[in-house]
Amino acid sequence: MDEALGKLEEDYLDAVDNNQSDSVEAFVEAFLHDSWSYNERNLATIKTAMSRYSQQQIDVDTFSSSFQRMVDRVQEKLQGLDGGGRYPVIQEGRGASLMIAFVDGLVIQYFSGTYTIEQLESDTPYLTQAILHMLKTAS
């Protein structure tokens, strides 16, 4: 596996495993804070991995498998925290995918200069509520 991609995956899985939240709500908020700080600290590594992927130096299947492992770990964590079934999207198995898509979209906007880390941090309570609302939307 590509060194940069492997480091990102390992860090991501460690962050999810180390998120000791005892509720979906607390997990989402901590996940957002972790995402903002991690992306700010590791911008160079992220750019390296994405550049290698776009230049086909990282195999599509390798990249996809790595990303899927990250999504699966978040989904497992969310399902474990939603024992009461309050969040239909989590119970349907799509909670992590949609939450990560939401967060990654904001991270791309950070990279492009639309948001600063300070703005994302101050918006975290609102963003947490938006994600939780999305997770409650039954299909």
Side-chain angles (χ1 to χ4, degrees):
M1 176 182 289
D2 179 81
E3 184 178 335
L5 180 60
K7 169 92 171 95
L8 294 172
E9 179 183 343
E10 180 181 326
D11 289 350
Y12 194 98
L13 296 177
D14 286 345
V16 172
D17 290 344
N18 291 326
N19 183 328
Q20 298 299 313
S21 300
D22 60 359
S23 68
V24 171
E25 299 83 0
F27 178 85
V28 170
E29 184 169 0
F31 184 87
L32 290 173
H33 286 295
D34 290 347
S35 294
W36 313 147
S37 61
Y38 184 82
N39 281 282
E40 183 177 40
R41 286 190 323 271
N42 293 282
L43 181 60
T45 305
I46 294 165
K47 284 182 175 181
T48 296
M50 295 306 291
S51 175
R52 288 180 184 159
Y53 175 71
S54 68
Q55 295 172 9
Q56 300 176 342
Q57 295 172 358
I58 299 175
D59 181 69
V60 172
D61 291 335
T62 299
F63 189 85
S64 177
S65 295
S66 179
F67 195 80
Q68 191 60 54
R69 279 190 292 277
M70 292 184 263
V71 172
D72 289 347
R73 186 74 56 94
V74 173
Q75 182 64 33
E76 290 169 13
K77 190 79 160 195
L78 288 170
Q79 285 180 312
L81 293 170
D82 189 31
R86 292 181 51 219
Y87 295 95
V89 178
I90 292 172
Q91 298 306 315
E92 293 168 5
R94 299 184 318 165
S97 178
L98 292 176
M99 181 180 78
I100 291 167
F102 186 98
V103 173
D104 285 353
L106 291 168
V107 168
I108 289 169
Q109 291 180 59
Y110 157 68
F111 289 154
S112 69
T114 302
Y115 290 105
T116 65
I117 290 299
E118 294 77 21
Q119 288 170 313
L120 291 170
E121 283 290 347
S122 69
D123 285 349
T124 295
Y126 168 75
L127 297 170
T128 299
Q129 291 306 308
I131 291 169
L132 293 172
H133 182 73
M134 172 188 65
L135 293 174
K136 287 182 180 177
T137 306
S139 62

